[in-house]
């Protein structure tokens, strides 16, 4: 049921098994199409979901899930 699914997702998020990510954070990464050898600077990194998605893309090698030299700098200028 919907309630059971919601409870499962809340438990998974509380134990860091999954992370909630809004669509507005996914779109830039999809459009950027990061490759495993890219150097990327994310200057609007808070709360980190976009950076996490970029890291996932940088760490996936087409053949064997081994990082191939990509690099991410994540920074947030707003101290809030």
């Amino acid at each position: 049921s919907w309630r059971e699914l919601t409870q499962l997702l809340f438990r998974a998020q509380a134990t860091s098994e999954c992370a909630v990510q809004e669509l507005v954070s996914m779109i830039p990464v999809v459009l950027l199409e990061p490759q495993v050898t890219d150097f990327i600077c994310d200057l609007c990194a808070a709360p980190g979901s976009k950076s996490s998605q970029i890291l996932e893309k940088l760490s996936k090698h087409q053949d064997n899930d081994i990082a191939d030299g990509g690099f991410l700098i994540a920074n947030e200028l707003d101290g809030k």
Side-chain angles (χ1 to χ4, degrees):
S1 74
W2 183 255
R3 182 178 177 173
E4 292 171 335
L5 175 62
T6 302
Q7 291 174 344
L8 174 69
L9 291 174
F10 278 119
R11 281 194 306 271
Q13 185 178 0
T15 58
S16 299
E17 294 178 61
C18 74
V20 175
Q21 185 174 13
E22 295 190 22
L23 183 60
V24 296
S25 296
M26 295 178 195
I27 292 171
V29 181
V30 170
L31 295 176
L32 181 63
E33 295 182 14
Q35 304 299 309
V36 294
T37 56
D38 288 347
F39 292 88
I40 299 171
C41 185
D42 182 359
L43 295 179
C44 298
S49 56
K50 184 171 64 256
S51 297
S52 297
Q53 190 177 358
I54 291 170
L55 280 174
E56 183 177 335
K57 297 286 187 181
L58 290 177
S59 66
K60 295 291 184 187
H61 192 275
Q62 290 178 349
D63 297 327
N64 55 15
D65 289 348
I66 296 174
D68 201 21
F71 192 82
L72 170 67
I73 296 174
N75 190 26
E76 177 58 53
L77 300 176
D78 188 356
K80 292 181 183 178

